Amino acid sequence: MLNMRRIIRLQFPLCKQMLASPTQGTRKYTSKPGNPQLEPVNKNSIMFARWKKHWYLSMARKKNIEGEEPEQPRSTRENWNYEAEFAAFKLRLQIDVADDDLRAAFTQPLPERDDVVDYSSLCTKGNILIHEFVKHYINLSFPKLCDEGKSAILDYLCSTKQLTHIAFNLGYKDFIQCSPFPPSSEVFAESFQASIEAIAKGSGGPVAAGKFILDFIIPQLIGKDILHDIWKPQNPMKILTQELQNQGKPGPEARLVRQSGISSTLPVFFIALYSGKEFLTEGAGESIELAETDAAKLVLKRIYGVEPNSRAIMMGVVVDDEFLEKLFAPLMQQRQQITGSG
């Protein structure tokens, strides 16, 4: 032990004072007391313990080795109260529907159970109600649009992708009971369709279901360009030719008015469209074909009345009483028929 102390004193001169100090456990690092009035820069900052870094690294390594843990339903947690969450869900969406009907819409049946017919009936009727209401809305909102464009909007709003997006963001995932978990896109869409029919069977009738569709499905058109994002016609020049012929005007004629940077990697061509001597519009693109297509789409937007800056979509505060009366007229008649037959 003495030899070790001598070696330490020779190799580490600073340890000589530490070993010679009679009060090793109670030594002070400064002779002056600290200023009690000094405060940290951010008193609200929380310094994590050092062991958490190693714990996080260990858990990340475990995750890489074992893989992702299977996602568990929200109901498996201890703080889950189905009845309270179910009531809050109905109040949040402002729907008045029977609990049994809504639970049936959220419960995917198994083949050996007897509720397959009820679930399938809710999905089928809800799908029909969604298509009929959305189609009627499109006919009222876009009266100048051709049938092909209306069908494209209908398919876009009623697609499985859009219904899944709506149902997921409304919190359907916490209530859907299915196997396996998590629910697939088809299960989300079917549950949403079934919930629409469940709302229609409630005290509000089909009108309440129509309001629900108007509040959550129709707003998916916000920020969308009908021709570029939804319809995407393959040959807009052919459609434009037909529309001009229906109006008794000569077909469109494309003319190259100017170009820039044709010898560079980013050329720009400007194409003007004329119908006889009438100037229609001007479009630009990286090639003559793209510029001609862009110009044709601009003309079709003006003809069909679907320009992005022309008018707002009929929803929210933009909707007037006359439009709502026309929109809900079929549902009001259906409600009266249900009330009369009951």
Side-chain angles (χ1 to χ4, degrees), residues 15-59:
C15 297
K16 181 177 180 181
Q17 299 179 1
M18 297 173 59
L19 294 174
S21 176
T23 57
Q24 287 183 347
T26 60
R27 66 180 182 273
K28 298 181 179 180
Y29 294 96
T30 178
S31 58
K32 296 182 180 180
N35 188 357
Q37 297 182 355
L38 292 179
E39 296 180 356
V41 178
N42 187 4
K43 295 186 293 183
N44 297 325
S45 63
I46 301 176
M47 301 300 294
F48 292 97
R50 291 183 177 181
W51 61 268
K52 287 191 176 182
K53 175 183 178 181
H54 304 283
W55 180 78
Y56 283 131
L57 294 176
S58 300
M59 295 302 295

Side-chain angles (χ1 to χ4, degrees), residues 104-105 107 109 114-124 194 197 201:
T107 305
D114 299 333
D115 53 354
V116 179
V117 178
D118 298 337
Y119 181 81
S120 302
S121 177
L122 289 175
C123 294
T124 303
E197 177 61 22
K201 294 173 62 177

Side-chain angles (χ1 to χ4, degrees), residues 174-188:
D174 295 337
F175 300 97
I176 294 178
Q177 300 179 13
C178 64
S179 180
F181 190 88
S184 61
S185 300
E186 291 74 14
V187 174
F188 270 114

Side-chain angles (χ1 to χ4, degrees), residues 277-291:
K277 296 183 179 180
E278 179 185 359
F279 172 77
L280 298 178
T281 189
E282 181 179 314
E286 297 179 359
S287 64
I288 296 178
E289 292 78 8
L290 292 177

Side-chain angles (χ1 to χ4, degrees), residues 49-234:
R50 291 183 177 181
W51 61 268
K52 287 191 176 182
K53 175 183 178 181
H54 304 283
W55 180 78
Y56 283 131
L57 294 176
S58 300
M59 295 302 295
R61 185 170 180 270
K62 178 182 177 183
K63 182 179 178 181
N64 293 332
I65 296 174
E66 299 180 357
E68 291 281 351
E69 294 184 1
E71 187 176 359
Q72 298 296 329
R74 181 68 174 83
S75 57
T76 57
R77 301 183 184 180
E78 297 179 356
N79 59 348
W80 174 258
N81 188 335
Y82 185 85
E83 298 297 333
E85 296 291 342
F86 195 77
F89 176 81
K90 293 169 58 177
L91 291 176
R92 182 170 67 251
L93 299 183
Q94 298 181 2
I95 54 177
D96 186 8
V97 57
D99 294 344
D100 296 338
D101 294 337
L102 196 56
R103 286 194 181 94
F106 289 149
T107 305
Q108 186 187 21
L110 299 176
E112 60 272 11
R113 293 171 58 178
D114 299 333
D115 53 354
V116 179
V117 178
D118 298 337
Y119 181 81
S120 302
S121 177
L122 289 175
C123 294
T124 303
K125 293 180 180 179
N127 188 26
I128 295 174
L129 180 58
I130 292 174
H131 276 76
E132 290 180 351
F133 185 86
V134 173
K135 184 177 181 180
H136 185 52
Y137 174 87
I138 295 173
N139 291 331
L140 293 178
S141 300
F142 309 102
K144 299 180 181 179
L145 191 61
C146 63
D147 295 338
E148 184 180 354
K150 293 179 180 179
S151 300
I153 299 176
L154 179 63
D155 296 339
Y156 172 80
L157 292 178
C158 299
S159 62
T160 302
K161 180 180 179 181
Q162 291 299 323
L163 298 183
T164 301
H165 172 73
I166 298 170
F168 179 82
N169 287 277
L170 290 180
Y172 277 54
K173 184 178 180 180
D174 295 337
F175 300 97
I176 294 178
Q177 300 179 13
C178 64
S179 180
F181 190 88
S184 61
S185 300
E186 291 74 14
V187 174
F188 270 114
E190 290 177 357
S191 297
F192 185 82
Q193 293 169 356
S195 65
I196 294 295
E197 177 61 22
I199 296 173
K201 294 173 62 177
S203 61
V207 177
K211 292 180 180 179
F212 192 85
I213 296 172
L214 183 62
D215 290 339
F216 295 106
I217 295 183
I218 302 302
Q220 303 307 312
L221 294 176
I222 296 177
K224 299 294 183 180
D225 192 311
I226 301 298
L227 267 74
H228 282 284
D229 302 330
I230 298 177
W231 183 5
K232 300 178 181 179
Q234 297 297 327

